[in-house]
Amino acid sequence: MKKYLLAIFLYCTSMNGHSKSIIFDNDMAIDDWAALLYLLHHPKANVIAVTISASGESRCKPGLDNTNALIDLSGKVSKTIPVACGDDYPLDGYFVFPEAWRKDSDTLSGVPIKSSARAASDQHAAAIIHAALADAKEPVTLIATGPLTNIAHWLERYPQDKNKIDRLVIMGGTVDAPGNIIVPLFTKGHPNTTAEWNIFIDPLAADKVFAAGLPIVLVGLDITNSVRVTTQVAADFKQAVTTDSAKFWDAVLDKNDWFIASNEYYFWDTLAVMIAMEPELCLGDEQSLRVDYQTTTKPWLQTTDNSMPDTRWDGKKRNHLEAKTAGTLVKDKNYPVIKVCRKTEPARIFKEFRDTLNQ
């Protein structure tokens, strides 16, 4: 009984604390489902908009539908949270995620979920970010866990909004850790050993964001490699399941037991949102970084979709980008300083995620 009363006291105390207004820009991949549910259950997270980076893993329509369904699942049925998509293609280049990954993202790994009656916005994601910032009464934490296409569009259309951002937390890139483009079952033989997928898909957008002078916290592979989702992590979570959101996530883990067994699954995007809510979970240093996006006439076709429009968002011809170097982060003193996360507390991460989803 004492433990129960203490838990209630701690929960109520956290509820009385200062909340953070959050805009969550993501591509509705597997770890984004966990990240979104974490934010929706967190007592101090006030999610004011969710935007889908449709140049990433999930396509626009299923991304919108799945987002609204997860909002309902979390119990936020009385709150209107605008949900919108951005462009289906990167600013430049023809890079795409493997089709099997996109199908899995579109279908929530085959885990059934009740459809939502919520209507998604027909406005561009950049416009939704702008509107949410205009309505906010305090600086907003912007979290980006997919390709940075939407964020680049927002910066280009509404540069006056920059001073309304408290922090931009990005899951993407790698400074010293190896890249993760080569995945044996899907991209064997790929020439890129130095980039991370989110930045690789739209390196021009990432470079524009890194150059913008925003207060950026980079949650890249240098830190996410420490939060691998193991069979023990999944088993521990299963023992704590009580809420509908937790039941859904437990089913996702069951469906992806092969992924977990491959030792290739990490808490990429989930770690980013947790650091956004609890900055002390990121220990790191400061770097000035640009993003490589060289053009080429000899594209690597394995991660290329030639059905994309030949014209870019700005009316110029779309270029093929050099797959070997695209998305690589390069130290450059001419770029603004950002914080690069290096270390965190893995045991605390998984426990706090488990506890939060079951509130």
Side-chain angles (χ1 to χ4, degrees):
M1 184 65 177
K2 289 182 179 179
K3 289 184 178 179
Y4 177 70
L5 291 173
L6 177 61
I8 293 177
F9 171 76
L10 292 174
Y11 178 75
C12 291
T13 300
S14 66
M15 285 293 288
N16 291 330
H18 184 66
S19 67
K20 290 186 180 182
S21 294
I22 303 288
I23 297 175
F24 185 38
D25 182 75
N26 72 98
D27 62 349
M28 268 287 104
I30 178 173
D31 44 329
D32 289 307
W33 314 335
L36 177 60
L37 289 172
Y38 170 84
L39 289 172
L40 293 170
H41 278 266
H42 197 290
K44 294 184 182 179
N46 175 29
V47 180
I48 59 175
V50 179
T51 50
I52 308 303
S53 182
S55 60
E57 288 198 53
S58 183
R59 295 170 176 85
C60 180
K61 180 61 164 59
L64 294 172
D65 291 344
N66 291 336
T67 297
N68 280 324
L70 290 173
I71 292 173
D72 285 351
L73 187 70
S74 74
K76 303 291 184 180
V77 292
S78 62
K79 182 176 180 180
T80 301
I81 302 175
V83 178
C85 268
D87 288 11
D88 295 331
Y89 314 112
L91 294 191
D92 204 2
Y94 293 84
F95 294 144
V96 291
F97 281 93
E99 177 58 28
W101 300 2
R102 303 199 80 188
K103 182 178 180 181
D104 187 74
S105 297
D106 289 346
T107 60
L108 295 176
S109 287
V111 175
I113 188 171
K114 184 179 179 181
S115 298
S116 176
R118 294 171 182 265
S121 172
D122 58 1
Q123 294 188 70
H124 192 281
I128 290 297
I129 293 172
H130 171 67
L133 290 172
D135 290 341
K137 295 179 174 58
E138 61 184 1
V140 172
T141 298
L142 177 56
I143 309 171
T145 59
L148 294 171
T149 313
N150 288 343
I151 309 303
H153 277 296
W154 161 69
L155 284 168
E156 184 169 274
R157 297 184 190 189
Y158 309 102
Q160 71 276 14
D161 285 351
K162 288 198 293 184
N163 63 357
K164 298 179 181 180
I165 299 297
D166 175 46
R167 284 181 305 153
L168 168 57
V169 180
I170 297 172
M171 190 284 121
T174 178
V175 178
D176 295 314
N180 69 348
I181 304 301
I182 299 174
V183 183
L185 293 176
F186 301 96
T187 54
K188 185 178 180 180
H190 200 288
N192 193 312
T193 62
T194 54
E196 176 276 331
W197 273 102
N198 285 342
I199 307 300
F200 171 80
I201 291 292
D202 197 345
L204 174 58
D207 191 64
K208 286 178 175 291
V209 173
F210 280 38
L214 288 164
I216 291 175
V217 177
L218 189 68
V219 183
L221 302 184
D222 301 280
I223 186 172
T224 61
N225 283 350
S226 69
V227 285
R228 177 184 288 135
V229 179
T230 64
T231 54
Q232 187 59 55
V233 167
D236 290 344
F237 186 85
K238 186 178 288 292
Q239 296 302 313
V241 170
T242 58
T243 64
D244 288 341
S245 295
K247 291 174 184 176
F248 166 81
W249 185 244
D250 183 50
V252 170
L253 292 176
D254 285 344
K255 285 278 189 178
N256 286 277
D257 55 354
W258 65 273
F259 192 14
I260 296 169
S262 74
N263 291 323
E264 295 284 347
Y265 179 32
Y266 299 84
F267 244 22
W268 299 288
D269 302 347
T270 316
L271 178 60
V273 299
M274 294 182 77
I275 286 174
M277 292 307 302
E278 301 182 48
E280 71 274 11
L281 291 173
C282 163
L283 297 176
D285 52 37
E286 294 186 336
Q287 300 278 346
S288 296
L289 303 165
R290 64 175 173 85
V291 183
D292 195 299
Y293 58 95
Q294 300 174 44
T295 61
T296 183
T297 58
K298 298 179 180 180
W300 177 263
L301 298 178
Q302 191 180 84
T303 49
T304 299
D305 180 2
N306 286 320
S307 69
M308 291 185 191
D310 289 333
T311 302
R312 309 190 315 179
W313 90 101
D314 58 0
K316 296 180 180 179
K317 183 180 182 300
R318 184 174 295 274
N319 299 293
H320 279 289
L321 302 180
E322 178 56 64
K324 183 177 181 179
T325 56
T328 301
L329 302 188
V330 181
K331 294 179 182 180
D332 189 330
K333 293 182 179 179
N334 294 316
Y335 275 61
V337 171
I338 66 174
K339 182 173 183 179
V340 176
C341 297
R342 302 284 191 171
K343 295 181 180 181
T344 191
E345 303 173 50
R348 176 181 169 186
I349 292 295
F350 292 120
K351 182 182 185 304
E352 291 198 8
F353 172 78
R354 183 172 67 243
D355 292 347
T356 300
L357 224 63
N358 282 289
Q359 285 183 359

